[in-house]
Amino acid sequence: MRPALHLNLTSLALRAIPATVQLDNQGGSGDSAVEVMREEAMPTVTIPSRTGYIFNGYFTGTNGTGDKYYNSNGTSAKVYPLENSPTKLYAYWTPITYNIIYNGNGSTSGSMTNSTHTYDEPKNLTTNAYSRVGYLFTGWSTAPSGAVAYQNGASVKNLSSTNGASITIYASWSPITYSIKYNGAGATSGSMSNSVHTYDVEKNLTANSFVRIGYTMTGWSVIDGGAVTYLNGQAVKNLSTTNGEVVNLYAVWEVNKYTVTFVYNGATGENSIATKQVTYGNFYSDLPQPVKSGSAFAGWYLDPQFTTKITETTEVTTHADHNLYAKWTTWVNIVVSGTSTQVDAITELNSNQTKAEILIYPSAGQYVYRFSFDRTNWILVDCIEATISGVNFAISVTYHATMLNNAWAIDFDYFFANYLEEGNCVNLYLEMTNTNYTSLKQSGGTSISGIVVSATKGGAAMIIGDDYKGLGDNDTITVRASLCLDGYEFVGWYLANNMNVCLSTLESVKFRKSQIYETQLIAFFRPIGSNDDLENTLDNM
């Protein structure tokens, strides 16, 4: 019985003596040892700490293996044994987890779900799925307007040390840049460099430096030939959403109108129109036809020296307000039925003039007997009997004049005379391709649709105006003439500005525009047999 008493005394002694147990905090910070009593609960200890981890108690083995002696709150989980008692306990830690919230930060489309991360474990951020019009994604920031902290899809860890925390990162955006190219769109001079623009930043367009003669720049269009989209120098933004794109802008031009001032140079009548507006590149169109006592009107000229003649079908090429100067010529003295009558000449006779063409229009009831120029020899023309009543007729004469001993020597190239009795008629037909009208006029007709029809010399058609300009050079005009009077015959079609050449002896003929542009087309008729020997008569004079 003595040994049993010894054992009990030993146990009592052990229970009465405190034991020291070492605490291995496994990377954490806390108490390093604790005094314990055998067969008593473990004394409460201060909970150790470790950034990013959760304390789960002390165990006899690492990583939570073996017997658990302390709970996660530092209280006893087990009575310290009398025998086989541990001398060292190990802290057991588990890493915290946290969530990352992806904020689009102004994105215009796309969505992303949160990602869960474990402390001390690297993990890639979710690839960006947001987009923003006019911007490029550059990475993630920890603040809405902060600098980029993480690249797209970057590997991260330890963004939070609080278990269950939610960490927000913000998409970082950089505005795209684009350039604007300025197109002159018909400019005759000038150049402009591209301008660089940033999305969402307002910036003025470069002031126009293109020039187009005869036009004023009114703004820029996004379409070549389109209407104005932006004014010159206008502040613009967001013309493109594509980084590096080149945006084309085209100059919009408005044709200029200029004021023409008429310098009448002494006109005595039909001179009430002081000015008119003309459009650059268009015809001058209607021009005054002034009169002046003792002179014949020879047309309008762009310069006071009378070198550049302007007609109603002349295109306006002067790109400024300008004058037109009236030119006057001396009248030619025509002797009709023995009476001297002054009529207009189409050109001035002077010592330098070697060739001219004269149209002579006798009055009703008269005929041409002879005519002369100042200081010339008399030229006799055989009288051809005809009855002239109500309808004027014309004689067209081309002559060569040379100054010899203060006298004009006249040579006749040809002579046509037409005599029509009152009530007789000439029908003229004009059928123009690419137009929607056909003219049918008898002698003495009036202007219609840009076509002037008259019966002078049996019938004449003056082709003028915009309708005729609209035809191409190879488009055609069909002319047809018929005389409803027995005893007369068709001679041919002539151009008034080149009466030496008969264009056609056919009463119905088709001409290209280029053949008869801006001239008078004349149909000649004559009494059958009356003028057969006329040219021979002139040749023998």
Side-chain angles (χ1 to χ4, degrees):
M1 298 299 294
R2 304 272 306 172
L5 177 61
H6 173 75
L7 289 174
N8 288 336
L9 290 174
T10 301
S11 296
L12 289 172
L14 288 174
R15 282 198 294 270
I17 301 172
T20 300
V21 177
Q22 300 297 319
L23 298 177
D24 186 339
N25 289 306
Q26 293 285 292
S29 60
D31 295 337
S32 60
V34 64
E35 293 289 331
V36 300
M37 299 301 291
R38 290 176 174 81
E39 293 187 344
E40 291 184 8
M42 300 293 289
T44 301
V45 296
T46 302
I47 300 173
S49 63
R50 184 183 178 188
T51 301
Y53 286 82
I54 299 170
F55 177 69
N56 296 297
Y58 285 108
F59 292 79
T60 57
T62 59
N63 297 321
T65 60
D67 294 331
K68 182 177 183 180
Y69 275 78
Y70 276 100
N71 296 315
S72 60
N73 59 1
T75 61
S76 176
K78 185 178 178 67
V79 172
Y80 191 73
L82 180 64
E83 295 179 349
N84 298 322
S85 54
T87 60
K88 191 175 185 178
L89 296 176
Y90 299 89
Y92 173 43
W93 303 98
T94 56
I96 61 101
T97 60
Y98 58 91
N99 295 319
I100 293 181
I101 299 173
Y102 300 89
N103 188 302
N105 195 24
S107 62
T108 52
S109 64
S111 62
M112 296 180 67
T113 56
N114 300 346
S115 59
T116 301
H117 294 251
T118 300
Y119 198 83
D120 265 351
E121 291 184 10
K123 182 178 180 181
N124 291 342
L125 296 174
T126 305
T127 302
N128 173 54
Y130 292 117
S131 61
R132 185 179 179 186
V133 173
Y135 287 79
L136 300 174
F137 176 77
T138 58
W140 299 100
S141 173
T142 57
S145 57
V148 172
Y150 313 108
Q151 298 298 320
N152 188 26
S155 176
V156 298
K157 69 176 183 177
N158 303 347
L159 269 61
S160 176
S161 60
T162 302
N163 191 47
S166 292
I167 305 301
T168 300
I169 58 175
Y170 301 87
S172 182
W173 304 100
S174 175
I176 62 101
T177 60
Y178 58 92
S179 60
I180 293 178
K181 181 179 181 181
Y182 302 90
N183 296 270
T188 51
S189 63
S191 63
M192 296 181 66
S193 300
N194 294 359
S195 59
V196 178
H197 295 249
T198 302
Y199 195 83
D200 265 348
V201 177
E202 193 170 65
K203 181 179 179 180
N204 290 344
L205 297 174
T206 304
N208 172 58
S209 62
F210 290 117
V211 174
R212 185 178 181 185
I213 293 175
Y215 289 79
T216 298
M217 192 268 190
T218 59
W220 300 100
S221 176
V222 295
I223 302 173
D224 190 4
V228 171
T229 309
Y230 308 106
L231 298 177
N232 184 27
Q234 179 178 331
V236 298
K237 69 176 183 178
N238 302 351
L239 270 62
S240 174
T241 59
T242 303
N243 193 48
E245 184 179 12
V246 177
V247 178
N248 285 287
L249 292 184
Y250 302 88
V252 179
W253 302 99
E254 181 178 50
V255 64
N256 292 340
K257 294 182 182 294
Y258 300 111
T259 298
V260 171
T261 300
F262 296 103
V263 180
Y264 284 96
N265 286 330
T268 57
E270 304 299 325
N271 55 353
S272 61
I273 300 174
T275 62
K276 75 168 293 185
Q277 292 289 111
V278 295
T279 302
Y280 185 83
N282 287 4
F283 287 161
Y284 276 88
S285 297
D286 299 330
L287 296 175
Q289 299 296 312
V291 295
K292 181 179 180 181
S293 299
S295 297
F297 178 61
W300 291 104
Y301 285 79
L302 195 59
D303 58 293
Q305 293 76 32
F306 308 118
T307 57
T308 304
K309 189 172 185 179
I310 301 298
T311 69
E312 292 184 344
T313 54
T314 300
E315 186 175 299
V316 179
T317 57
T318 301
H319 46 93
D321 295 342
H322 55 282
N323 297 338
L324 289 185
Y325 300 87
K327 180 180 179 182
W328 301 99
T329 63
T330 304
W331 279 4
V332 178
N333 189 44
I334 305 296
V335 178
V336 179
S337 298
T339 302
S340 178
T341 305
Q342 288 186 327
V343 298
D344 293 351
I346 64 170
T347 189
E348 182 180 3
L349 295 175
N350 55 59
S351 60
N352 297 319
Q353 183 67 47
T354 59
K355 187 173 182 180
E357 183 180 65
I358 307 297
L359 292 181
I360 305 169
Y361 297 92
S363 301
Q366 297 177 330
Y367 59 89
V368 175
Y369 175 64
R370 62 184 179 180
F371 63 91
S372 67
F373 303 116
D374 187 27
R375 297 187 307 183
T376 67
N377 296 326
W378 292 98
I379 302 297
L380 176 64
V381 178
D382 287 346
C383 176
I384 300 174
E385 298 295 338
T387 301
I388 307 299
S389 177
V391 179
N392 294 349
F393 69 94
I395 295 176
S396 177
V397 177
T398 298
Y399 66 89
H400 299 278
T402 305
M403 195 70 167
L404 297 173
N405 299 323
N406 293 327
W408 288 99
I410 309 286
D411 292 329
F412 286 98
D413 284 345
Y414 57 84
F415 180 96
F416 288 113
N418 294 285
Y419 302 96
L420 301 179
E421 295 181 358
E422 184 177 8
N424 298 333
C425 65
V426 176
N427 294 324
L428 298 179
Y429 305 83
L430 293 95
E431 299 170 0
M432 300 177 67
T433 62
N434 290 359
T435 57
N436 296 322
Y437 61 84
T438 299
S439 296
L440 171 58
K441 285 291 177 180
Q442 293 185 346
S443 59
T446 57
S447 175
I448 179 172
S449 299
I451 303 298
V452 176
V453 180
S454 69
T456 301
K457 299 192 70 59
M462 179 72 79
I463 312 300
I464 61 173
D466 292 338
D467 289 340
Y468 190 68
K469 182 183 179 184
L471 296 176
D473 285 343
N474 291 321
D475 290 332
T476 60
I477 294 178
T478 301
V479 294
R480 189 165 67 251
S482 63
L483 181 67
C484 46
L485 179 66
D486 292 338
Y488 285 79
E489 62 183 354
F490 176 77
V491 177
W493 291 101
Y494 291 81
L495 296 180
N497 62 354
N498 190 6
M499 297 292 294
N500 289 305
V501 179
C502 178
L503 294 181
S504 175
T505 58
L506 300 176
E507 292 187 24
S508 178
V509 64
K510 182 179 293 185
F511 294 113
R512 292 192 308 274
K513 170 190 171 182
S514 57
Q515 290 179 282
I516 56 175
Y517 183 43
E518 294 185 3
T519 189
Q520 186 179 27
L521 191 63
I522 299 178
F524 280 103
F525 296 87
R526 65 183 174 186
I528 296 175
S530 298
N531 294 340
D532 290 346
D533 297 325
L534 180 57
E535 294 184 16
N536 291 331
T537 300
L538 293 174
D539 290 339
N540 294 326
M541 290 179 61

